[in-house]
Amino acid sequence: MAIDPVSRVEGHGKVTILLDADDRVHQVRLHIVEFRGFEKFVQGRPYWELPVMVQRLCGICPVSHHLAAAKALDVVVGAPKLTPTAEKVRRLMHYGQILQSHALHFFHLASPDLLFGFDSDVGRRNIVGVAAEHPEIARRGVLLRKYGQEVIRVTAGKRVHGTGAIPGGVNKALTEVERSTLLADAYQMIAWARDAVALVKKLHLSNVALYNSFGAFRSNMLSLVAPDGGLDLYHGALRARDAAGTILFDQMSYDRYWDRITEEVKPWSYMKFPFLRELGPEAGWYKVGPLARVQNCDHIPTPFADAERREFVDFGGGQPVHATLAYHWARMIEMLFAAEEIKELLHDDDLLGDDLVVTGERHRRGVGVIEAPRGTLIHHYRLNNNDQVLRANLIVSTTHNNQALNEAIRQVAKRYLDGRKLTEGLLNHVEVAIRAFDPCLSCATHALGKMPLAVELVDAEGKTIDALTS
Amino acid sequence: MTANGAADVFLLDGEPIPFAPGQTVMQAALAAGHYIPHLCFHHDFKPHGSCKVCTVRVDGATTASCTLPAQAGMSVECKADDLEENRRTLVQMLFVEGNHFCPSCEKSGNCLLQAVAYDLGVLDADLDYFFPSRPLDASHPDLLLDFNRCILCELCVRASAEVDGKHVFALSGRGIGKHLIVNAESGRLVDTTVAVTDKAVDVCPVGVIIRKRVGFAVPIGRRRFDARPVSAQALEDAPRRAPPEAAP
């Protein structure tokens, strides 16, 4: 069986569900053309172009790539520690992005599924439908995102694809007017973010059986954490837990991430499969992103978000929550954290400073890691003596989540595939599972209110027995 | 001057433009507050007439206004639809002949080609891209040459020869094969006498001659063309009186 294409999957994508001789699902393959060519065409370019160039990888979370590249180049220019102004402006930029991206992901792309039901009318199951039936929810979603975009504009110069972070620092601080303008709405954003957590929690608790089991799978978890174990999405060291929540390693500097993480290539996918070296490819794959981060950290350094984290952890009853749909709950906790963090930063006078850039001893290699909205993001560059890029290695969040995505879809297929017949219902459920991880894989669906699916049903002998196009 | 002491004038799109002896149509027009789009023209150097963006029509014939001596009584047509369309096409051709990736170019916002394109309303190429292969010259410790962005204006060539007295830069080849070279047996910038303080470094209107390690230091909003379009800035920068001995 092939579901093709999942619209807007970084360009192209399809889901292949392999049946065994008894017509049972035994494997799922999510094919995503994650290859974007950036690692090749940055070769030879001067390093200071990288933060601006590589952010074009993504239109939803370009700030992640902008900052991960800048962090890698901080090492190159001998500035592992930035000035307080530069670090806080970058943090503000990043949390602005977390806010806008999480708002987009939940309100615009995922909430239609959750509010209307996975099998509801596709013509209504979009943000326009949400606006018609739940106008206040839709309005807040739009305004939360708009606020995050405005934070990005103030720090990076543009709402999308700015230039704020440069190797060793930033190219601008905030003016008093910019700060006070953002502060004027900061508390409203926190209030709305709290309501968003309440909404997603209510949805989850209103149908615990479904939400806990849908696409659920157990896995290791990976993320950055702060030195004190707290949640920090801008900087930290690597921590991994197993599926039971036991720490596998902690406070590992990401400078040599390859000592802990390596990638496997499979012949049927362009995307690599990262895994933890010490556990091997079969047992070492992991999930990243909100669900991993909120449970990997020991605490969240802002009060409202930490209270929500504790409630979330309590909901797990002493075990990590592995429900795929709990990604949304964790995502909204992070959005609340971002809103609180933005408010805290805006009260800090360092944002108005004029000491913007640090330089020191040059190096020819730099690794930058950041927690992007979808998960851990690694940028790794090597330079020649003439300031040109020799090699680049980018491991993006969706790649980290590759096996996890496949596993979530497999669970959904096992549960919802009925015999040898494809149904719209199955396709809808596959979409919902993908969307829990990554809006990049589904944004056209809800943005347009239509998902053109070409479906092929192939039996164990490779024979096409059914076809369906929506 | 006329017999009664008044300045000589010519007509530019019907407007009288005063001029001093030796001034070109471009110099007189800019000095009088009338913008004629241009790329290779620069106040500090002899007019060159190569980019043809400043082409105007006089008595039915088209010619570069930067090299056309102003003459009393001549009627110059600049804003005609066909001339504007030709200018847009010329700029589009420059974009497709090189590799101009504005989104990641550190000259973006400070680039004359980009500014003129915006000013002319050029928002896409409308032509097939050539995608030429032009490796960078990053050999110099403080300067970098990105040949992908060269528009062959020869401003660096003129500045190096006339101001710096070094002849570091030159154009080589002909027609579509014409390209910028440097004056060193190795062909590498590091082996020339160029210095970061050279006029040739500053004068590049696009992103070919780059000072290393300072790209993107100027934030969006404070770049040269963020505040005002090139048409306004060209008038502000224009000498308001006739430069003595300016003409070739």
Side-chain angles (χ1 to χ4, degrees):
Chain A
M1 177 197 306
I3 301 172
D4 181 24
V6 177
S7 60
R8 192 74 65 85
V9 186
E10 298 284 293
H12 299 281
K14 70 173 182 178
V15 173
T16 305
I17 302 172
L18 305 176
L19 304 178
D20 62 17
D22 298 323
D23 288 342
R24 290 177 306 204
V25 175
H26 76 95
Q27 192 182 35
V28 157
R29 293 173 174 178
L30 173 64
H31 310 267
I32 306 170
V33 185
E34 192 71 12
F35 173 75
R36 308 295 300 274
F38 276 77
E39 288 158 325
K40 180 65 184 171
F41 63 67
V42 299
Q43 289 178 2
R45 299 305 308 174
Y47 72 79
W48 54 90
E49 280 185 0
L50 290 170
V52 176
M53 181 180 279
V54 297
Q55 64 180 335
R56 300 273 165 174
L57 270 159
C58 182
I60 296 179
C61 59
V63 169
S64 308
H65 295 285
H66 184 59
L67 290 176
K71 287 181 72 177
L73 297 172
D74 293 341
V75 179
V76 166
V77 302
K81 181 147 184 69
L82 304 182
T83 67
T85 297
E87 169 148 351
K88 287 168 187 175
V89 169
R90 282 197 193 176
R91 283 181 173 274
L92 182 63
M93 188 193 306
H94 188 47
Y95 285 109
Q97 172 197 230
I98 295 288
L99 186 78
Q100 72 83 15
S101 178
H102 278 3
L104 174 81
H105 193 152
F106 178 71
F107 288 100
H108 297 64
L109 304 172
S111 77
D113 294 328
L114 308 182
L115 291 169
F116 297 135
F118 306 168
D119 282 326
S120 60
D121 174 20
V122 72
R124 185 181 67 148
R125 193 156 37 97
N126 53 48
I127 187 64
V128 178
V130 175
E133 301 222 4
H134 306 278
E136 185 58 19
I137 292 174
R139 190 178 77 89
R140 290 180 179 188
V142 169
L143 292 177
L144 276 161
R145 177 159 193 267
K146 183 182 178 188
Y147 183 80
Q149 293 287 72
E150 193 60 15
V151 171
I152 295 170
R153 186 192 66 77
V154 164
T155 50
K158 285 166 66 183
R159 288 181 182 83
V160 183
H161 299 144
T163 66
I166 56 177
V170 295
N171 65 15
K172 75 183 289 283
L174 267 66
T175 65
E176 186 58 58
V177 171
E178 288 170 335
R179 170 165 77 165
S180 58
T181 303
L182 289 176
L183 257 179
D185 292 325
Y187 291 88
Q188 181 65 75
M189 296 305 131
I190 293 171
W192 285 349
R194 293 183 71 189
D195 288 347
V197 181
L199 172 64
V200 74
K201 190 163 45 181
K202 182 177 157 193
L203 288 166
H204 200 115
L205 297 179
S206 66
N207 196 347
V208 173
L210 172 68
Y211 275 68
N212 274 5
S213 62
F214 182 85
F217 61 93
R218 292 171 62 80
S219 75
N220 307 302
M221 298 176 286
L222 178 81
S223 70
L224 294 179
V225 291
D228 66 354
L231 183 66
D232 189 336
L233 304 182
Y234 175 74
H235 191 63
L238 292 167
R239 172 186 282 180
R241 290 183 193 266
D242 66 15
T246 305
I247 290 180
L248 296 168
F249 57 79
D250 196 7
Q251 296 300 329
M252 294 301 306
S253 168
Y254 59 65
D255 293 347
R256 292 180 58 85
Y257 64 89
W258 56 86
D259 287 342
R260 293 290 182 173
I261 299 167
T262 189
E263 295 176 287
E264 184 185 26
V265 174
K266 297 191 179 182
W268 51 267
S269 176
Y270 288 105
M271 209 163 42
K272 292 179 181 174
F273 289 78
F275 60 91
L276 306 178
R277 274 187 192 274
E278 62 199 73
L279 298 181
E282 291 301 315
W285 58 275
Y286 48 84
K287 61 169 80 89
V288 298
L291 187 58
R293 289 189 295 234
V294 164
Q295 301 187 97
N296 220 7
C297 69
D298 299 327
H299 65 94
I300 295 179
T302 59
F304 290 136
D306 197 49
E308 294 294 348
R309 181 198 65 83
R310 288 197 301 271
E311 193 171 333
F312 183 81
V313 169
D314 289 346
F315 176 76
Q319 282 289 312
V321 177
H322 289 295
T324 289
L325 290 178
Y327 258 101
H328 295 306
W329 187 347
R331 184 169 291 117
M332 289 301 93
I333 294 173
E334 284 193 345
M335 188 175 78
L336 174 57
F337 168 51
E340 290 185 280
E341 194 71 5
I342 287 169
K343 182 263 294 177
E344 287 294 313
L345 285 163
L346 287 171
H347 279 296
D348 192 324
D349 288 345
D350 281 342
L351 282 182
L352 310 178
D354 54 11
D355 192 4
L356 303 182
V357 178
V358 175
T359 55
E361 186 185 349
R362 277 292 303 277
H363 297 274
R364 287 178 52 184
R365 184 177 70 79
V367 176
V369 178
I370 200 164
E371 285 296 335
R374 249 63 69 200
T376 311
L377 171 64
I378 299 173
H379 280 219
H380 178 185
Y381 302 105
R382 278 181 54 203
L383 312 178
N384 65 16
N385 284 330
N386 290 333
D387 302 312
Q388 293 170 286
V389 177
L390 277 178
R391 289 188 61 192
N393 186 31
L394 313 179
I395 307 180
V396 305
S397 316
T398 304
T399 303
H400 287 294
N401 266 337
N402 193 0
Q403 186 59 43
L405 272 157
N406 279 279
E407 195 57 31
I409 298 166
R410 190 171 77 93
Q411 295 300 333
V412 169
K414 278 172 66 177
R415 177 164 166 187
Y416 293 99
L417 179 64
D418 187 13
R420 291 159 64 89
K421 201 76 179 164
L422 289 166
T423 63
E424 287 286 345
L426 173 66
L427 305 187
N428 289 339
H429 285 72
V430 168
E431 281 183 57
V432 170
I434 294 173
R435 203 169 290 126
F437 291 84
D438 206 327
C440 302
L441 310 181
S442 57
C443 57
T445 309
H446 281 155
L448 301 178
K450 185 180 177 216
M451 185 167 187
L453 283 180
V455 187
E456 218 176 49
L457 185 59
V458 181
D459 66 14
E461 295 169 357
K463 184 180 165 194
T464 302
I465 56 173
D466 192 14
L468 179 65
T469 303
S470 63
Chain B
M1 305 285 269
T2 59
N4 63 7
D8 286 324
V9 296
F10 65 89
L11 293 178
L12 180 65
D13 295 320
E15 295 277 326
I17 307 293
F19 68 94
Q23 274 190 315
T24 62
V25 166
M26 171 74 81
Q27 288 166 331
L30 291 174
H34 292 261
Y35 173 68
I36 300 175
H38 56 270
L39 285 171
C40 71
F41 172 78
H42 191 291
H43 296 290
D44 294 342
F45 300 101
K46 291 178 183 175
H48 191 251
S50 62
C51 77
K52 305 299 182 192
V53 170
C54 72
T55 295
V56 294
R57 185 158 45 223
V58 182
D59 294 333
T62 53
T63 184
S65 63
C66 68
T67 53
L68 175 65
Q71 296 172 47
M74 72 194 309
S75 180
V76 179
E77 200 178 359
C78 176
K79 291 181 178 171
D81 289 346
D82 61 330
L83 295 174
E84 292 280 355
E85 189 54 38
N86 286 344
R87 288 185 190 113
R88 280 190 283 272
T89 302
L90 283 167
V91 169
Q92 287 172 317
M93 289 165 69
L94 287 171
F95 272 102
V96 302
E97 286 171 15
N99 294 310
H100 298 273
F101 303 127
C102 298
S104 58
C105 178
E106 63 189 274
K107 194 77 175 186
S108 189
N110 298 304
C111 172
L112 187 65
L113 178 65
Q114 183 190 49
V116 167
Y118 276 134
D119 207 64
L120 290 171
V122 175
L123 297 177
D124 53 40
D126 270 347
L127 298 164
D128 289 339
Y129 285 92
F130 286 29
F131 294 123
S133 178
R134 298 179 184 170
L136 309 190
D137 182 344
S139 60
H140 193 280
D142 298 313
L143 296 170
L144 178 144
L145 296 180
D146 189 340
F147 300 103
N148 294 291
R149 303 159 180 165
C150 187
I151 59 171
L152 307 176
C153 66
E154 288 200 50
L155 280 169
C156 60
V157 178
R158 288 180 271 169
S160 188
E162 297 170 20
V163 179
D164 305 326
K166 293 183 177 178
H167 299 278
V168 168
F169 299 100
L171 294 188
S172 180
R174 296 190 63 79
I176 197 64
K178 184 173 277 191
H179 61 284
L180 185 67
I181 59 170
V182 297
N183 187 9
E185 274 197 39
S186 66
R188 303 194 319 156
L189 191 64
V190 69
D191 296 322
T192 70
T193 56
V194 73
V196 288
T197 52
D198 284 357
K199 178 76 171 176
V201 173
D202 275 334
V203 80
C204 179
V206 290
V208 178
I209 308 174
I210 293 290
R211 283 191 172 81
K212 282 186 169 181
R213 300 177 289 276
V214 295
F216 304 102
V218 178
I220 293 169
R222 288 184 225 156
R223 302 171 305 182
R224 181 178 168 194
F225 295 111
D226 285 337
R228 295 178 308 288
V230 63
S231 50
Q233 291 191 36
L235 298 178
E236 292 162 9
D237 296 344
R240 287 295 166 174
R241 56 188 174 82
E245 313 293 331

